[in-house]
Amino acid sequence: MVNILTVFITGTAGSGKSTLTSALADYLESQDNYVGILNLDPAAEYLPYTPDIDIRDYVSARGIMRKYKLGPNASLIAAVDLIITKVDELRQQISELDPTYLIVDTPGQLEMFAFRDTGPLIVNRLNMDKSMVIFVIDSVHARTMLGLASSLLLSLSVQLRIQKTQVNVLNKADLLTEEEIEEIENMIEEPDYLETRGDSELVTRIGGIIRSIGMIPEPIPVSAVKGQGLDRIHAIMEQVLTGGDKPS
Ligand SMILES: Nc1nc2c(ncn2[C@@H]2O[C@H](COP(=O)(O)OP(=O)(O)OP(=O)(O)O)[C@@H](O)[C@H]2O)c(=O)[nH]1
Ligand SMILES: [Mg+2]
């Protein structure tokens, strides 16, 4: 019986998707899980892990750039669109590998993947049994309400597009002080806190709207480099895999 949880690691460029893919796979393996890694970034030059399955074996953004004389963004768009034509081959490889957890590292530019029609289509086609999304927020951009609100709005857009159980991760938490992490938690949790901060009215009101939607999961502080917070991600993955309650 197929029982694979496919975990799509999404997030803004440079937020640490590839590093988290590697760290999470290592962590899960250390907990005696059988883990596979699928690299879905056709433009990746260097990866901090060795993928079990690699889209670059089928589609190369650099090759497309040369062949069709396209610029870096146009070639990446074409490359991401071409992934859909290789989904059957990828599914075949996933079935042969048959991992418990398949971690999928997605293309660097979020908008190319999540905000175009192909991304959600690829996610649905690569779903073997169950799937979820991890949205990686760069801590460095979350220290102000403006940065945090922008990141959470992006996360919400991904949730809207892909419509899977989604976990927000505050990566690079090792670059923040404990006070800064607490400040971020306050900005999300404390209803009156936003009013006291002196942000612009737009930022304060957007913060209020994000909170009132109530469906945006509170980010889990993680350090992909230091291996912090991975146990909390694992616990949610296990819940999703075994069909338990979705995280709130
Ligand atoms: N301090 C710190 N640095 C991190 C962490 N995670 C990733 N980085 C660094 O952030 C940079 C980008 O990491 P990547 O994993 O390549 O990020 P990415 O989101 O895959 O990048 P693209 O695919 O190019 O969008 C690298 O220099 C990483 O070493 C972390 O938890 N802490
Ligand atoms: Mg990457």
Side-chain angles (χ1 to χ4, degrees):
M1 192 188 83
V2 184
N3 200 15
I4 301 174
L5 176 67
T6 309
V7 183
F8 293 88
I9 313 280
T10 65
T12 48
S15 55
K17 298 179 293 294
S18 301
T19 312
L20 182 63
T21 298
S22 174
L24 189 57
D26 286 349
Y27 175 80
L28 293 169
E29 270 165 9
S30 77
Q31 303 293 306
D32 292 332
N33 296 288
Y34 182 36
V35 184
I37 300 182
L38 162 57
N39 169 48
L40 213 54
D41 186 353
E45 293 275 334
Y46 161 79
L47 292 173
Y49 54 81
T50 306
D52 299 289
I53 309 171
D54 195 342
I55 191 61
R56 295 174 302 176
D57 292 343
Y58 304 100
V59 179
S60 147
R62 188 172 280 269
I64 290 171
M65 194 154 133
R66 288 209 192 100
K67 188 170 172 191
Y68 299 104
K69 299 192 167 48
L70 295 174
N73 290 311
S75 62
L76 190 56
I77 287 174
V80 172
D81 283 350
L82 275 176
I83 295 175
I84 200 77
T85 66
K86 301 297 172 192
V87 156
D88 288 340
E89 284 90 333
L90 294 175
R91 283 184 68 92
Q92 178 65 29
Q93 278 195 278
I94 298 168
S95 295
E96 282 164 16
L97 193 65
D98 195 21
T100 306
Y101 296 116
L102 180 74
I103 317 286
V104 184
D105 188 12
T106 65
Q109 281 89 339
L110 179 66
E111 70 273 24
M112 309 256 177
F113 185 67
F115 299 160
R116 301 178 67 253
D117 288 343
T118 14
L121 211 60
I122 293 166
V123 167
N124 284 327
R125 293 289 315 281
L126 286 181
N127 176 32
M128 306 302 282
D129 188 37
K130 290 183 175 167
S131 48
M132 62 179 279
V133 170
I134 291 179
F135 184 84
V136 184
I137 297 170
D138 192 325
S139 287
V140 177
H141 302 311
R143 278 189 284 211
T144 61
M145 190 59 218
L146 178 65
L148 180 64
S150 310
S151 300
L152 291 176
L153 285 175
L154 275 176
S155 162
L156 189 63
S157 303
V158 170
Q159 211 170 332
L160 188 66
R161 297 282 301 181
I162 299 184
Q163 311 230 352
K164 299 276 180 208
T165 297
Q166 187 162 316
V167 174
N168 288 325
V169 150
L170 197 57
N171 190 37
K172 309 188 188 179
D174 56 291
L175 299 178
L176 300 186
T177 60
E178 273 186 27
E179 290 75 34
E180 283 172 323
I181 293 179
E182 216 169 283
E183 169 93 356
I184 291 170
E185 282 164 358
N186 278 338
M187 286 194 278
I188 294 173
E189 282 169 8
E190 299 293 326
D192 300 328
Y193 186 72
L194 285 183
E195 313 294 331
T196 66
R197 286 180 38 89
D199 290 304
S200 76
E201 192 189 343
L202 180 61
V203 171
T204 307
R205 284 176 69 168
I206 286 184
I209 290 168
I210 290 172
R211 186 181 295 122
S212 70
I213 292 173
M215 286 177 66
I216 305 172
E218 188 189 322
I220 301 172
V222 161
S223 169
V225 164
K226 300 249 162 86
Q228 229 175 288
L230 302 175
D231 49 343
R232 288 182 65 187
I233 302 179
H234 181 202
I236 296 171
M237 287 169 64
E238 220 163 31
Q239 253 182 329
V240 176
L241 182 67
T242 55
D245 290 337
K246 279 186 185 179
S248 58

